């Protein structure tokens, strides 16, 4: 009996099972690339938000803070992006002598646009992880079923059916299932983790936007008195 190793099982597998294994390897590879990219992305976003909000609530002049972020697209995300959009609208209202409730709503609208744009960026690539987590086990199962069918079909040509005759074929088929789970489990765990982080960041940004809107509303109404 040949040495049963993962590499040997792959090399000795049929074309369909080999194709399934290659597909699962590619899915797993792309999943891990996305996992590392999203991990560092979310870590950077949380760090930028904390740094900006510490500056904002430290009492720094808002005009100076706006000048720091208005032209720096590299750090504009979350709270800083919301602040820039809202402050632009706030400056427009300050020069308007006839401010209505509709004009004040423009501040909220500009912040909602910034939050929606950030949510789109944060959710980038997450659908791939969701699909990889749900589809990979079925792809692996397909390879397993096909491999087992091929193994039993081969018994029709054998003079004697023994476990030694079918074990290699069944083993290579089961590797497809194992690879499907190997691709799916990290993708599912990462998707749930990143989706939770995205919701948490969006919620924190929304709270900051509401507090910022209150500050601007009071300032605009004060300037009109």
């Amino acid at each position: 009996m040949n040495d049963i190793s993962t590499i040997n099982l792959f090399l000795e597998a049929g074309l369909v099972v080999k194709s399934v294994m290659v597909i699962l390897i590619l899915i797993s590879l792309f999943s891990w690339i996305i996992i590392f990219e999203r991990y560092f992305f979310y870590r950077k976003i949380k760090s930028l938000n904390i740094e900006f909000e510490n500056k904002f609530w430290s009492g720094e002049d808002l005009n100076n803070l706006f000048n720091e972020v208005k032209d720096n697209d590299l750090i504009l995300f979350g709270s800083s992006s919301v602040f820039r959009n809202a402050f632009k609208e706030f400056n427009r209202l300050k020069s308007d002598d006839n401010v209505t409730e509709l004009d004040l709503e423009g501040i909220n609208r500009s912040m909602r646009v910034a939050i929606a744009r950030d949510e789109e960026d944060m959710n980038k690539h997450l659908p791939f992880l969701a699909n990889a987590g749900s589809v990979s086990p079925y792809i692996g199962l397909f390879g397993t079923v096909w491999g087992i069918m091929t193994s039993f079909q081969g018994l029709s040509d054998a003079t004697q059916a023994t476990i030694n005759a079918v074990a290699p074929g069944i083993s290579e088929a089961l590797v497809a299932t194992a690879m499907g789970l190997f691709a799916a489990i990290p993708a599912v765990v990462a998707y749930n983790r990143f989706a939770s982080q995205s919701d948490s960041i969006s919620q924190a940004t929304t709270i900051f936007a509401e507090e910022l809107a209150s500050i601007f509303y009071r300032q605009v109404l004060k300037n009109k008195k």
Side-chain angles (χ1 to χ4, degrees), residues 79-99:
S79 302
S80 58
S81 178
V82 165
F83 172 76
R84 184 180 73 165
N85 284 20
F87 202 84
K88 282 183 179 178
E89 190 68 19
F90 172 71
N91 284 338
R92 186 185 68 79
L93 293 180
K94 283 198 302 185
S95 60
D96 190 355
D97 294 330
N98 246 338
V99 179

Side-chain angles (χ1 to χ4, degrees), residues 50-78:
I50 292 174
E51 181 182 352
F52 176 81
E53 290 188 25
N54 285 340
K55 282 186 178 181
F56 181 86
W57 295 114
S58 68
E60 183 174 342
D61 184 82
L62 295 186
N63 288 292
N64 294 336
L65 193 57
F66 177 70
N67 290 331
E68 289 180 18
V69 301
K70 68 177 181 179
D71 296 322
N72 194 344
D73 291 333
L74 295 177
I75 65 169
L76 280 178
F77 206 95

Side-chain angles (χ1 to χ4, degrees), residues 83-169:
F83 172 76
R84 184 180 73 165
N85 284 20
F87 202 84
K88 282 183 179 178
E89 190 68 19
F90 172 71
N91 284 338
R92 186 185 68 79
L93 293 180
K94 283 198 302 185
S95 60
D96 190 355
D97 294 330
N98 246 338
V99 179
T100 64
E101 290 294 327
L102 186 60
D103 293 325
L104 292 174
E105 179 60 24
I107 294 177
N108 271 335
R109 185 167 56 251
S110 66
M111 291 191 291
R112 285 196 298 268
V113 169
I115 293 173
R117 189 183 300 116
D118 289 349
E119 287 178 347
E120 183 178 353
D121 289 339
M122 286 190 293
N123 292 328
K124 189 182 298 182
H125 305 312
L126 293 191
F128 179 88
L129 293 179
N131 290 330
S134 60
V135 172
S136 293
Y138 294 105
I139 297 176
L141 183 60
F142 170 76
T144 297
V145 172
W146 188 276
I148 292 176
M149 287 172 55
T150 303
S151 295
F152 281 111
Q153 285 173 356
L155 289 178
S156 62
D157 300 327
T159 56
Q160 184 179 5
T162 64
I163 189 63
N164 291 336
V166 297

Side-chain angles (χ1 to χ4, degrees), residues 185-212:
I185 293 173
V188 171
V189 173
Y191 173 80
N192 291 333
R193 173 62 176 170
F194 294 147
S196 175
Q197 286 185 324
S198 177
D199 291 341
S200 177
I201 293 173
S202 294
Q203 184 177 6
T205 304
T206 300
I207 293 173
F208 175 80
E210 291 174 356
E211 295 173 335
L212 186 61

